[in-house]
Amino acid sequence: MIATAIEAGTNILDVTATVAPWLLIGLALGAVVQVLIPTHRLRQWLGGSGVASVARAAVIGAPLPLCSCGAIPTALSLHRGGASRGASTAFLVGTPGIGIDSVVLTWVLMGPFMAVSRVVGAVATAIATGLAVGRVPPAVPATVGEAGCASGCTGSTDHAEYAPDPGPVRHMGRVMLRLIDDIGTWLIIGLILAGLMITFVPPGSLAAWGSGLLAMVVLALVGIPLYVCATAATPVAAAMLIAGVSPGAVLVFLIAGPVTSLATLLVLRRELGTPAAGVYLGSTVVAALMVGLVVDGVVALGGLEPAAMAGAAREIWPEWVERAAAGVMLTLIIVPARRAVRRAGHWAWSVARGGRRVRT
């Protein structure tokens, strides 16, 4: 029992060390993208209607490293600023479904084939869903505040319209910290789950049931009620791939999970109406399943072995670099959480003492 616990802890630390330097690079690139593409510029680019605007929204939204807590208010702002329903929906699907940071991690943990398939699949799903929702007759919109993102959302609501900074370097630093706040908790959970799967699920053991349409439907249904970040889901997906789940089923989990959270569906329902929310959910799941089937078909016809490509880039960094990066990453994640816990403790203590305020 003790030996198994030690092995699980070692695997969790190994996955964390592997991910850390690449994640920091991906977050830095994501911060640069956010600084260079403010929301008012997005409104200009996503104007108009038709297939072209939907495709632009899917492609432009794909590199932005936003979870749904950041993508929801941004998509609503775009919609209310003149973007079409289809374009706003494509942005809402493409942005949390993938980002520079998650693409980097996918390449590192699962290889180039899975990384390219994830990008193409996410963009295709975003376009298909945007076109489908764009055909739904418009409903009378309700006033939606940012509270609709309260279910599991901890980050910023607008990815570029922050308070003015003295310079671009400090601005990018603040954006990067906001991104870490968005994904930190879920990233830790994802790394722990990945380490546990590597420990307790032998490689190839899930090959018997982890392929085919049924497996894809199950993984899609698992992701719907959860708030799962694209970056945090990547280590878990890599562990699934090593355990024998088919590449197509893994992609269904990676595509459908981050964009079908209850928070997203509730806000979309209030903004565009129940029919649009239903079409959004159905179109996203169906498109993700189609992507999964196509990818599994390509793998079978081409004789590819994506599981053998997993971890191909792990030997690039020296061990001391990985450990240092892991220390930096965990510090950036844990320190804000510790501050939040301390503030909550001060508040609880003030309530217990009769509601007197305590300075934090």
Side-chain angles (χ1 to χ4, degrees):
M1 184 67 181
I2 296 177
T4 302
I6 294 175
E7 181 184 0
T10 301
N11 287 332
I12 293 171
L13 293 177
D14 287 344
V15 174
T16 301
T18 299
V19 163
W22 296 102
L23 179 66
L24 293 176
I25 291 174
L27 290 173
L29 293 174
V32 172
V33 171
Q34 289 199 12
V35 171
L36 295 178
I37 308 179
T39 303
H40 71 270
R41 187 69 55 82
L42 288 175
R43 292 194 189 101
Q44 296 175 356
W45 291 346
L46 302 187
S49 59
V51 178
S53 65
V54 172
R56 282 198 306 270
V59 173
I60 292 173
L64 298 179
L66 293 176
C67 291
S68 62
C69 56
I72 289 172
T74 304
L76 295 183
S77 174
L78 294 172
H79 180 240
R80 294 173 181 177
S84 66
R85 292 157 55 88
S88 303
T89 302
F91 182 89
L92 185 58
V93 174
T95 304
I98 199 169
I100 290 181
D101 50 346
S102 58
V103 172
V104 171
L105 289 189
T106 305
W107 177 73
V108 172
L109 296 177
M110 291 183 277
F113 174 79
M114 290 297 289
V116 173
S117 298
R118 186 177 186 180
V119 172
V120 175
V123 172
T125 301
I127 294 175
T129 304
L131 292 175
V133 173
R135 296 180 63 87
V136 178
V140 178
T143 301
V144 179
E146 294 167 4
C149 203
S151 176
C153 298
T154 59
S156 60
T157 57
D158 191 68
H159 72 275
E161 295 181 348
Y162 303 137
D165 288 323
V169 175
R170 188 176 177 185
H171 190 180
M172 286 186 290
R174 288 188 176 184
V175 174
M176 186 173 175
L177 290 177
R178 289 174 185 263
L179 294 175
I180 293 175
D181 288 345
D182 284 349
I183 70 173
T185 301
W186 295 104
L187 179 63
I188 294 296
I189 294 174
L191 292 172
I192 293 174
L193 290 176
L196 293 177
M197 287 190 64
I198 292 173
T199 304
F200 295 103
V201 183
S205 60
L206 299 182
W209 72 271
S211 61
L213 183 60
L214 179 60
M216 296 178 190
V217 172
V218 170
L219 289 177
L221 293 178
V222 167
I224 288 175
L226 301 178
Y227 174 80
V228 54
C229 176
T231 303
T234 305
V236 179
M240 289 182 183
L241 185 67
I242 295 173
V245 178
S246 74
V250 168
L251 281 178
V252 170
F253 173 75
L254 287 174
I255 293 173
V259 301
T260 56
S261 68
L262 290 180
T264 302
L265 295 174
L266 290 174
V267 172
L268 193 69
R269 176 179 176 273
R270 293 177 61 187
E271 180 72 10
L272 301 181
T274 301
V279 170
Y280 172 93
L281 177 60
S283 299
T284 300
V285 172
V286 170
L289 292 175
M290 294 298 296
V291 170
L293 292 173
V294 169
V295 168
D296 276 354
V298 171
V299 169
L301 290 175
L304 303 176
E305 296 184 5
M309 304 177 189
R314 292 187 179 184
E315 304 300 327
I316 292 180
W317 303 106
E319 186 176 352
W320 69 269
V321 172
E322 293 185 341
R323 291 182 177 180
V328 172
M329 182 186 74
L330 293 175
T331 300
L332 293 175
I333 292 173
I334 293 172
V335 169
R338 189 171 63 231
R339 291 174 181 170
V341 171
R342 186 172 65 246
R343 287 195 296 268
H346 285 311
W347 176 82
W349 176 247
S350 68
V351 172
R353 296 186 61 184
R356 287 179 290 174
R357 287 191 175 184
V358 178
R359 292 180 63 87
T360 59

